[in-house]
Amino acid sequence: MDEALGAVTSVAPDWLGEWGPFAVLMVLMFGVWMFTRKIFAVQKDHGADIRYREQGTKLVFRLSGLLLGITTFPMDSELRGQLLSLVGLLLSAAIALSSTSVMGNLMAGFMLRTVNSFRAGDYIEFRNELGRVSQRGLLHVEFQNETSELVTVPNLLLVQEPYNVVRSSGTVVSAEVSLGYDVDRRDIETALLKAIEGAELGDGFVQIRNLGDYSVNYRASGWLKEAGLLVSARSRLRGKMLDALHDAGIEIVSPSFMNQRPLPPELKFIPERKKMMRAEEDKNGHAEEILFSKAEVASAVENLEGKIKKLKEKLKAEPEGDGEDVDREAVKEELSTLTDELERARENAKEEAARDRHGKDDEVEDADQEK
């Protein structure tokens, strides 16, 4: 610290007097900060996710500025020592008191960032609750659950407890059903494989999960390429399982049903089949567009940033020359299109964040009125 103070003092003009070191330090810190902001801006333009680095740099920069400012500010040496001792005491107390909360979440956030097992838009299952990641902060992770509610989980919990991440490249969609021992398992497997095919899932297979006292538990599974449609695919698979089992004349009832209400053995509990076009079956659309709106926007922004980064790297890697002009022009045109899409996606993200803030303000206002 004394060497740094001496270096700053040596470059300070004589006419500034005792304020010279402090003034030079402020100018140098301002220049360093503007240079750092420029680097962050360039990295953002190239599609890099620098949220953690930017927040961490700001924290370190402010602490360093505070300590250097106290060191160079013209004051009595005894007072300077007391201020430095006070700052050290406050930092020690803050670290000691928040070691299990703030500092713990901070370190956990850097750990999650290093592991990088998920990103915005990915499905994550934590404590038996499924949702899509909408934001990764320095201290927490936010995701939207299946009722479109925003759930905030501290980073420390994600480090301490296991969580499941659905791969963006695809995942296995499964559904279970319990059927009686009086139905041949081969007939059930045939019907369930037909349901998997009808749900537009690939590589379907059926498992016998459990042999219970009164029923057999079957699981139908298939490969879903578009992981973003996970919720709709699960619902569609269950619906196709109902249709396939009913078409095969297989009842889905509790084994104790007959004991509660005896009925003729020829009576089957299968709803009457209604003819409808496929367009009518799918008229409800994808539930993900409503349930995970914020996560969808965040995912779109990250995907576009990644594509723009790759195109810029491609332009830099390919040299100018004969035969390359047409390809480079096409890349530049695609880059311009993606840049426009990115701007629209960022505007949608801002609107989504504004709606969240507006909703929170309304809740606070309603709470104040109740009081």
PDB file of all heavy atoms in Angstrom, residues 58-90:
ATOM      1  N   LYS A  58     -17.513  -4.866 -10.434  1.00  0.00           N
ATOM      2  CA  LYS A  58     -18.009  -3.666  -9.758  1.00  0.00           C
ATOM      3  C   LYS A  58     -17.766  -3.747  -8.252  1.00  0.00           C
ATOM      4  O   LYS A  58     -17.367  -2.752  -7.629  1.00  0.00           O
ATOM      5  CB  LYS A  58     -19.507  -3.492 -10.034  1.00  0.00           C
ATOM      6  CG  LYS A  58     -19.832  -3.025 -11.445  1.00  0.00           C
ATOM      7  CD  LYS A  58     -21.332  -2.863 -11.620  1.00  0.00           C
ATOM      8  CE  LYS A  58     -21.676  -2.376 -13.029  1.00  0.00           C
ATOM      9  NZ  LYS A  58     -23.145  -2.222 -13.195  1.00  0.00           N
ATOM     10  N   LEU A  59     -18.007  -4.917  -7.672  1.00  0.00           N
ATOM     11  CA  LEU A  59     -17.806  -5.078  -6.234  1.00  0.00           C
ATOM     12  C   LEU A  59     -16.342  -4.873  -5.850  1.00  0.00           C
ATOM     13  O   LEU A  59     -16.023  -4.121  -4.913  1.00  0.00           O
ATOM     14  CB  LEU A  59     -18.284  -6.471  -5.806  1.00  0.00           C
ATOM     15  CG  LEU A  59     -18.124  -6.828  -4.324  1.00  0.00           C
ATOM     16  CD1 LEU A  59     -18.935  -5.873  -3.456  1.00  0.00           C
ATOM     17  CD2 LEU A  59     -18.541  -8.277  -4.074  1.00  0.00           C
ATOM     18  N   VAL A  60     -15.441  -5.522  -6.584  1.00  0.00           N
ATOM     19  CA  VAL A  60     -14.008  -5.385  -6.292  1.00  0.00           C
ATOM     20  C   VAL A  60     -13.542  -3.959  -6.536  1.00  0.00           C
ATOM     21  O   VAL A  60     -12.739  -3.404  -5.761  1.00  0.00           O
ATOM     22  CB  VAL A  60     -13.200  -6.386  -7.148  1.00  0.00           C
ATOM     23  CG1 VAL A  60     -11.702  -6.157  -6.974  1.00  0.00           C
ATOM     24  CG2 VAL A  60     -13.566  -7.818  -6.778  1.00  0.00           C
ATOM     25  N   PHE A  61     -14.035  -3.331  -7.596  1.00  0.00           N
ATOM     26  CA  PHE A  61     -13.623  -1.969  -7.930  1.00  0.00           C
ATOM     27  C   PHE A  61     -14.039  -0.982  -6.838  1.00  0.00           C
ATOM     28  O   PHE A  61     -13.273  -0.092  -6.455  1.00  0.00           O
ATOM     29  CB  PHE A  61     -14.241  -1.570  -9.271  1.00  0.00           C
ATOM     30  CG  PHE A  61     -13.714  -0.280  -9.836  1.00  0.00           C
ATOM     31  CD1 PHE A  61     -12.541  -0.257 -10.560  1.00  0.00           C
ATOM     32  CD2 PHE A  61     -14.401   0.911  -9.628  1.00  0.00           C
ATOM     33  CE1 PHE A  61     -12.050   0.934 -11.076  1.00  0.00           C
ATOM     34  CE2 PHE A  61     -13.921   2.096 -10.136  1.00  0.00           C
ATOM     35  CZ  PHE A  61     -12.741   2.109 -10.868  1.00  0.00           C
ATOM     36  N   ARG A  62     -15.241  -1.149  -6.321  1.00  0.00           N
ATOM     37  CA  ARG A  62     -15.711  -0.227  -5.279  1.00  0.00           C
ATOM     38  C   ARG A  62     -14.935  -0.400  -3.973  1.00  0.00           C
ATOM     39  O   ARG A  62     -14.581   0.585  -3.314  1.00  0.00           O
ATOM     40  CB  ARG A  62     -17.205  -0.440  -5.041  1.00  0.00           C
ATOM     41  CG  ARG A  62     -18.072   0.064  -6.191  1.00  0.00           C
ATOM     42  CD  ARG A  62     -19.484  -0.433  -6.091  1.00  0.00           C
ATOM     43  NE  ARG A  62     -20.299   0.027  -7.221  1.00  0.00           N
ATOM     44  CZ  ARG A  62     -21.511  -0.430  -7.503  1.00  0.00           C
ATOM     45  NH1 ARG A  62     -22.061  -1.366  -6.730  1.00  0.00           N
ATOM     46  NH2 ARG A  62     -22.173   0.028  -8.541  1.00  0.00           N
ATOM     47  N   LEU A  63     -14.678  -1.637  -3.597  1.00  0.00           N
ATOM     48  CA  LEU A  63     -13.900  -1.868  -2.381  1.00  0.00           C
ATOM     49  C   LEU A  63     -12.479  -1.332  -2.523  1.00  0.00           C
ATOM     50  O   LEU A  63     -11.941  -0.695  -1.602  1.00  0.00           O
ATOM     51  CB  LEU A  63     -13.865  -3.363  -2.057  1.00  0.00           C
ATOM     52  CG  LEU A  63     -15.185  -3.993  -1.596  1.00  0.00           C
ATOM     53  CD1 LEU A  63     -15.022  -5.493  -1.403  1.00  0.00           C
ATOM     54  CD2 LEU A  63     -15.673  -3.347  -0.307  1.00  0.00           C
ATOM     55  N   SER A  64     -11.874  -1.580  -3.690  1.00  0.00           N
ATOM     56  CA  SER A  64     -10.521  -1.062  -3.916  1.00  0.00           C
ATOM     57  C   SER A  64     -10.515   0.460  -3.927  1.00  0.00           C
ATOM     58  O   SER A  64      -9.605   1.092  -3.363  1.00  0.00           O
ATOM     59  CB  SER A  64      -9.979  -1.601  -5.244  1.00  0.00           C
ATOM     60  OG  SER A  64      -9.956  -3.003  -5.253  1.00  0.00           O
ATOM     61  N   GLY A  65     -11.527   1.066  -4.554  1.00  0.00           N
ATOM     62  CA  GLY A  65     -11.601   2.520  -4.571  1.00  0.00           C
ATOM     63  C   GLY A  65     -11.754   3.111  -3.184  1.00  0.00           C
ATOM     64  O   GLY A  65     -11.171   4.161  -2.871  1.00  0.00           O
ATOM     65  N   LEU A  66     -12.530   2.451  -2.334  1.00  0.00           N
ATOM     66  CA  LEU A  66     -12.711   2.935  -0.966  1.00  0.00           C
ATOM     67  C   LEU A  66     -11.397   2.902  -0.193  1.00  0.00           C
ATOM     68  O   LEU A  66     -11.019   3.889   0.477  1.00  0.00           O
ATOM     69  CB  LEU A  66     -13.773   2.089  -0.258  1.00  0.00           C
ATOM     70  CG  LEU A  66     -14.029   2.415   1.219  1.00  0.00           C
ATOM     71  CD1 LEU A  66     -14.550   3.839   1.360  1.00  0.00           C
ATOM     72  CD2 LEU A  66     -15.016   1.420   1.818  1.00  0.00           C
ATOM     73  N   LEU A  67     -10.681   1.778  -0.284  1.00  0.00           N
ATOM     74  CA  LEU A  67      -9.421   1.656   0.447  1.00  0.00           C
ATOM     75  C   LEU A  67      -8.366   2.624  -0.079  1.00  0.00           C
ATOM     76  O   LEU A  67      -7.672   3.300   0.710  1.00  0.00           O
ATOM     77  CB  LEU A  67      -8.911   0.212   0.347  1.00  0.00           C
ATOM     78  CG  LEU A  67      -9.760  -0.855   1.054  1.00  0.00           C
ATOM     79  CD1 LEU A  67      -9.198  -2.241   0.794  1.00  0.00           C
ATOM     80  CD2 LEU A  67      -9.826  -0.583   2.550  1.00  0.00           C
ATOM     81  N   LEU A  68      -8.228   2.723  -1.395  1.00  0.00           N
ATOM     82  CA  LEU A  68      -7.242   3.645  -1.966  1.00  0.00           C
ATOM     83  C   LEU A  68      -7.617   5.097  -1.698  1.00  0.00           C
ATOM     84  O   LEU A  68      -6.744   5.958  -1.495  1.00  0.00           O
ATOM     85  CB  LEU A  68      -7.109   3.394  -3.469  1.00  0.00           C
ATOM     86  CG  LEU A  68      -6.460   2.067  -3.870  1.00  0.00           C
ATOM     87  CD1 LEU A  68      -6.508   1.880  -5.380  1.00  0.00           C
ATOM     88  CD2 LEU A  68      -5.022   2.004  -3.379  1.00  0.00           C
ATOM     89  N   GLY A  69      -8.939   5.383  -1.703  1.00  0.00           N
ATOM     90  CA  GLY A  69      -9.370   6.744  -1.406  1.00  0.00           C
ATOM     91  C   GLY A  69      -9.011   7.157   0.016  1.00  0.00           C
ATOM     92  O   GLY A  69      -8.555   8.278   0.258  1.00  0.00           O
ATOM     93  N   ILE A  70      -9.219   6.253   0.964  1.00  0.00           N
ATOM     94  CA  ILE A  70      -8.841   6.552   2.355  1.00  0.00           C
ATOM     95  C   ILE A  70      -7.332   6.723   2.474  1.00  0.00           C
ATOM     96  O   ILE A  70      -6.827   7.589   3.205  1.00  0.00           O
ATOM     97  CB  ILE A  70      -9.341   5.442   3.293  1.00  0.00           C
ATOM     98  CG1 ILE A  70     -10.869   5.413   3.315  1.00  0.00           C
ATOM     99  CG2 ILE A  70      -8.803   5.630   4.696  1.00  0.00           C
ATOM    100  CD1 ILE A  70     -11.455   4.290   4.135  1.00  0.00           C
ATOM    101  N   THR A  71      -6.577   5.909   1.731  1.00  0.00           N
ATOM    102  CA  THR A  71      -5.116   5.961   1.818  1.00  0.00           C
ATOM    103  C   THR A  71      -4.555   7.273   1.270  1.00  0.00           C
ATOM    104  O   THR A  71      -3.587   7.816   1.817  1.00  0.00           O
ATOM    105  CB  THR A  71      -4.514   4.774   1.049  1.00  0.00           C
ATOM    106  OG1 THR A  71      -5.068   3.558   1.553  1.00  0.00           O
ATOM    107  CG2 THR A  71      -3.007   4.733   1.220  1.00  0.00           C
ATOM    108  N   THR A  72      -5.147   7.803   0.184  1.00  0.00           N
ATOM    109  CA  THR A  72      -4.595   8.996  -0.467  1.00  0.00           C
ATOM    110  C   THR A  72      -5.276  10.288  -0.047  1.00  0.00           C
ATOM    111  O   THR A  72      -4.783  11.369  -0.381  1.00  0.00           O
ATOM    112  CB  THR A  72      -4.719   8.843  -1.995  1.00  0.00           C
ATOM    113  OG1 THR A  72      -6.109   8.645  -2.341  1.00  0.00           O
ATOM    114  CG2 THR A  72      -3.905   7.659  -2.487  1.00  0.00           C
ATOM    115  N   PHE A  73      -6.411  10.208   0.639  1.00  0.00           N
ATOM    116  CA  PHE A  73      -7.114  11.443   1.024  1.00  0.00           C
ATOM    117  C   PHE A  73      -6.273  12.210   2.058  1.00  0.00           C
ATOM    118  O   PHE A  73      -5.740  11.614   3.004  1.00  0.00           O
ATOM    119  CB  PHE A  73      -8.479  11.104   1.616  1.00  0.00           C
ATOM    120  CG  PHE A  73      -9.390  12.288   1.749  1.00  0.00           C
ATOM    121  CD1 PHE A  73     -10.116  12.742   0.668  1.00  0.00           C
ATOM    122  CD2 PHE A  73      -9.505  12.963   2.959  1.00  0.00           C
ATOM    123  CE1 PHE A  73     -10.964  13.825   0.778  1.00  0.00           C
ATOM    124  CE2 PHE A  73     -10.326  14.059   3.082  1.00  0.00           C
ATOM    125  CZ  PHE A  73     -11.065  14.496   1.981  1.00  0.00           C
ATOM    126  N   PRO A  74      -6.132  13.523   1.865  1.00  0.00           N
ATOM    127  CA  PRO A  74      -5.311  14.317   2.807  1.00  0.00           C
ATOM    128  C   PRO A  74      -5.967  14.390   4.192  1.00  0.00           C
ATOM    129  O   PRO A  74      -6.973  15.065   4.378  1.00  0.00           O
ATOM    130  CB  PRO A  74      -5.234  15.691   2.142  1.00  0.00           C
ATOM    131  CG  PRO A  74      -6.413  15.757   1.243  1.00  0.00           C
ATOM    132  CD  PRO A  74      -6.659  14.353   0.775  1.00  0.00           C
ATOM    133  N   MET A  75      -5.378  13.685   5.124  1.00  0.00           N
ATOM    134  CA  MET A  75      -5.895  13.674   6.485  1.00  0.00           C
ATOM    135  C   MET A  75      -4.761  13.272   7.436  1.00  0.00           C
ATOM    136  O   MET A  75      -3.677  12.855   7.000  1.00  0.00           O
ATOM    137  CB  MET A  75      -7.068  12.694   6.617  1.00  0.00           C
ATOM    138  CG  MET A  75      -6.687  11.243   6.426  1.00  0.00           C
ATOM    139  SD  MET A  75      -8.080  10.112   6.658  1.00  0.00           S
ATOM    140  CE  MET A  75      -9.050  10.494   5.197  1.00  0.00           C
ATOM    141  N   ASP A  76      -5.038  13.386   8.700  1.00  0.00           N
ATOM    142  CA  ASP A  76      -4.059  12.999   9.704  1.00  0.00           C
ATOM    143  C   ASP A  76      -3.803  11.484   9.644  1.00  0.00           C
ATOM    144  O   ASP A  76      -4.730  10.698   9.420  1.00  0.00           O
ATOM    145  CB  ASP A  76      -4.564  13.401  11.099  1.00  0.00           C
ATOM    146  CG  ASP A  76      -3.534  13.102  12.176  1.00  0.00           C
ATOM    147  OD1 ASP A  76      -2.500  13.777  12.199  1.00  0.00           O
ATOM    148  OD2 ASP A  76      -3.785  12.163  12.957  1.00  0.00           O
ATOM    149  N   SER A  77      -2.559  11.086   9.816  1.00  0.00           N
ATOM    150  CA  SER A  77      -2.197   9.671   9.714  1.00  0.00           C
ATOM    151  C   SER A  77      -2.916   8.828  10.755  1.00  0.00           C
ATOM    152  O   SER A  77      -3.296   7.680  10.500  1.00  0.00           O
ATOM    153  CB  SER A  77      -0.684   9.511   9.867  1.00  0.00           C
ATOM    154  OG  SER A  77      -0.247  10.028  11.115  1.00  0.00           O
ATOM    155  N   GLU A  78      -3.127   9.397  11.949  1.00  0.00           N
ATOM    156  CA  GLU A  78      -3.841   8.650  12.975  1.00  0.00           C
ATOM    157  C   GLU A  78      -5.289   8.414  12.580  1.00  0.00           C
ATOM    158  O   GLU A  78      -5.832   7.310  12.769  1.00  0.00           O
ATOM    159  CB  GLU A  78      -3.765   9.402  14.299  1.00  0.00           C
ATOM    160  CG  GLU A  78      -4.427   8.661  15.473  1.00  0.00           C
ATOM    161  CD  GLU A  78      -4.307   9.421  16.781  1.00  0.00           C
ATOM    162  OE1 GLU A  78      -3.644  10.478  16.800  1.00  0.00           O
ATOM    163  OE2 GLU A  78      -4.891   8.946  17.777  1.00  0.00           O
ATOM    164  N   LEU A  79      -5.923   9.441  11.999  1.00  0.00           N
ATOM    165  CA  LEU A  79      -7.306   9.298  11.537  1.00  0.00           C
ATOM    166  C   LEU A  79      -7.389   8.302  10.389  1.00  0.00           C
ATOM    167  O   LEU A  79      -8.339   7.502  10.309  1.00  0.00           O
ATOM    168  CB  LEU A  79      -7.846  10.658  11.098  1.00  0.00           C
ATOM    169  CG  LEU A  79      -9.284  10.663  10.543  1.00  0.00           C
ATOM    170  CD1 LEU A  79     -10.264  10.143  11.579  1.00  0.00           C
ATOM    171  CD2 LEU A  79      -9.666  12.068  10.083  1.00  0.00           C
ATOM    172  N   ARG A  80      -6.395   8.329   9.488  1.00  0.00           N
ATOM    173  CA  ARG A  80      -6.381   7.384   8.375  1.00  0.00           C
ATOM    174  C   ARG A  80      -6.289   5.942   8.903  1.00  0.00           C
ATOM    175  O   ARG A  80      -6.975   5.046   8.405  1.00  0.00           O
ATOM    176  CB  ARG A  80      -5.209   7.686   7.447  1.00  0.00           C
ATOM    177  CG  ARG A  80      -5.132   6.713   6.247  1.00  0.00           C
ATOM    178  CD  ARG A  80      -3.943   7.002   5.343  1.00  0.00           C
ATOM    179  NE  ARG A  80      -4.121   8.264   4.658  1.00  0.00           N
ATOM    180  CZ  ARG A  80      -3.399   9.360   4.882  1.00  0.00           C
ATOM    181  NH1 ARG A  80      -2.448   9.344   5.824  1.00  0.00           N
ATOM    182  NH2 ARG A  80      -3.613  10.466   4.210  1.00  0.00           N
ATOM    183  N   GLY A  81      -5.439   5.752   9.880  1.00  0.00           N
ATOM    184  CA  GLY A  81      -5.328   4.407  10.445  1.00  0.00           C
ATOM    185  C   GLY A  81      -6.618   3.941  11.099  1.00  0.00           C
ATOM    186  O   GLY A  81      -6.995   2.770  10.990  1.00  0.00           O
ATOM    187  N   GLN A  82      -7.311   4.865  11.768  1.00  0.00           N
ATOM    188  CA  GLN A  82      -8.573   4.501  12.399  1.00  0.00           C
ATOM    189  C   GLN A  82      -9.636   4.143  11.357  1.00  0.00           C
ATOM    190  O   GLN A  82     -10.408   3.191  11.537  1.00  0.00           O
ATOM    191  CB  GLN A  82      -9.056   5.651  13.282  1.00  0.00           C
ATOM    192  CG  GLN A  82      -8.182   5.901  14.505  1.00  0.00           C
ATOM    193  CD  GLN A  82      -8.645   7.105  15.299  1.00  0.00           C
ATOM    194  OE1 GLN A  82      -9.529   7.842  14.871  1.00  0.00           O
ATOM    195  NE2 GLN A  82      -8.039   7.313  16.474  1.00  0.00           N
ATOM    196  N   LEU A  83      -9.670   4.908  10.245  1.00  0.00           N
ATOM    197  CA  LEU A  83     -10.649   4.614   9.186  1.00  0.00           C
ATOM    198  C   LEU A  83     -10.357   3.267   8.534  1.00  0.00           C
ATOM    199  O   LEU A  83     -11.280   2.497   8.255  1.00  0.00           O
ATOM    200  CB  LEU A  83     -10.626   5.725   8.132  1.00  0.00           C
ATOM    201  CG  LEU A  83     -11.232   7.066   8.550  1.00  0.00           C
ATOM    202  CD1 LEU A  83     -11.070   8.096   7.438  1.00  0.00           C
ATOM    203  CD2 LEU A  83     -12.707   6.906   8.896  1.00  0.00           C
ATOM    204  N   LEU A  84      -9.079   2.999   8.274  1.00  0.00           N
ATOM    205  CA  LEU A  84      -8.733   1.704   7.687  1.00  0.00           C
ATOM    206  C   LEU A  84      -9.089   0.564   8.638  1.00  0.00           C
ATOM    207  O   LEU A  84      -9.575  -0.493   8.207  1.00  0.00           O
ATOM    208  CB  LEU A  84      -7.245   1.667   7.341  1.00  0.00           C
ATOM    209  CG  LEU A  84      -6.804   2.557   6.167  1.00  0.00           C
ATOM    210  CD1 LEU A  84      -5.294   2.518   6.010  1.00  0.00           C
ATOM    211  CD2 LEU A  84      -7.480   2.107   4.874  1.00  0.00           C
ATOM    212  N   SER A  85      -8.861   0.782   9.926  1.00  0.00           N
ATOM    213  CA  SER A  85      -9.228  -0.243  10.906  1.00  0.00           C
ATOM    214  C   SER A  85     -10.735  -0.440  10.941  1.00  0.00           C
ATOM    215  O   SER A  85     -11.227  -1.567  11.057  1.00  0.00           O
ATOM    216  CB  SER A  85      -8.722   0.153  12.293  1.00  0.00           C
ATOM    217  OG  SER A  85      -7.310   0.285  12.298  1.00  0.00           O
ATOM    218  N   LEU A  86     -11.475   0.676  10.836  1.00  0.00           N
ATOM    219  CA  LEU A  86     -12.936   0.582  10.837  1.00  0.00           C
ATOM    220  C   LEU A  86     -13.443  -0.175   9.620  1.00  0.00           C
ATOM    221  O   LEU A  86     -14.329  -1.034   9.727  1.00  0.00           O
ATOM    222  CB  LEU A  86     -13.544   1.988  10.879  1.00  0.00           C
ATOM    223  CG  LEU A  86     -15.082   2.058  10.819  1.00  0.00           C
ATOM    224  CD1 LEU A  86     -15.684   1.341  12.022  1.00  0.00           C
ATOM    225  CD2 LEU A  86     -15.555   3.511  10.768  1.00  0.00           C
ATOM    226  N   VAL A  87     -12.880   0.134   8.434  1.00  0.00           N
ATOM    227  CA  VAL A  87     -13.297  -0.568   7.210  1.00  0.00           C
ATOM    228  C   VAL A  87     -12.976  -2.057   7.312  1.00  0.00           C
ATOM    229  O   VAL A  87     -13.794  -2.923   6.956  1.00  0.00           O
ATOM    230  CB  VAL A  87     -12.608   0.050   5.983  1.00  0.00           C
ATOM    231  CG1 VAL A  87     -12.881  -0.793   4.737  1.00  0.00           C
ATOM    232  CG2 VAL A  87     -13.094   1.472   5.761  1.00  0.00           C
ATOM    233  N   GLY A  88     -11.771  -2.366   7.833  1.00  0.00           N
ATOM    234  CA  GLY A  88     -11.415  -3.768   7.999  1.00  0.00           C
ATOM    235  C   GLY A  88     -12.329  -4.483   8.969  1.00  0.00           C
ATOM    236  O   GLY A  88     -12.712  -5.643   8.747  1.00  0.00           O
ATOM    237  N   LEU A  89     -12.710  -3.784  10.042  1.00  0.00           N
ATOM    238  CA  LEU A  89     -13.613  -4.381  11.026  1.00  0.00           C
ATOM    239  C   LEU A  89     -14.994  -4.632  10.424  1.00  0.00           C
ATOM    240  O   LEU A  89     -15.604  -5.684  10.639  1.00  0.00           O
ATOM    241  CB  LEU A  89     -13.717  -3.461  12.243  1.00  0.00           C
ATOM    242  CG  LEU A  89     -14.623  -3.943  13.391  1.00  0.00           C
ATOM    243  CD1 LEU A  89     -14.090  -5.253  13.961  1.00  0.00           C
ATOM    244  CD2 LEU A  89     -14.713  -2.882  14.477  1.00  0.00           C
ATOM    245  N   LEU A  90     -15.480  -3.646   9.649  1.00  0.00           N
ATOM    246  CA  LEU A  90     -16.799  -3.803   9.021  1.00  0.00           C
ATOM    247  C   LEU A  90     -16.797  -4.949   8.014  1.00  0.00           C
ATOM    248  O   LEU A  90     -17.760  -5.731   7.943  1.00  0.00           O
ATOM    249  CB  LEU A  90     -17.204  -2.493   8.342  1.00  0.00           C
ATOM    250  CG  LEU A  90     -17.518  -1.314   9.273  1.00  0.00           C
ATOM    251  CD1 LEU A  90     -17.822  -0.059   8.465  1.00  0.00           C
ATOM    252  CD2 LEU A  90     -18.702  -1.642  10.180  1.00  0.00           C
TER     253      LEU A  90
END
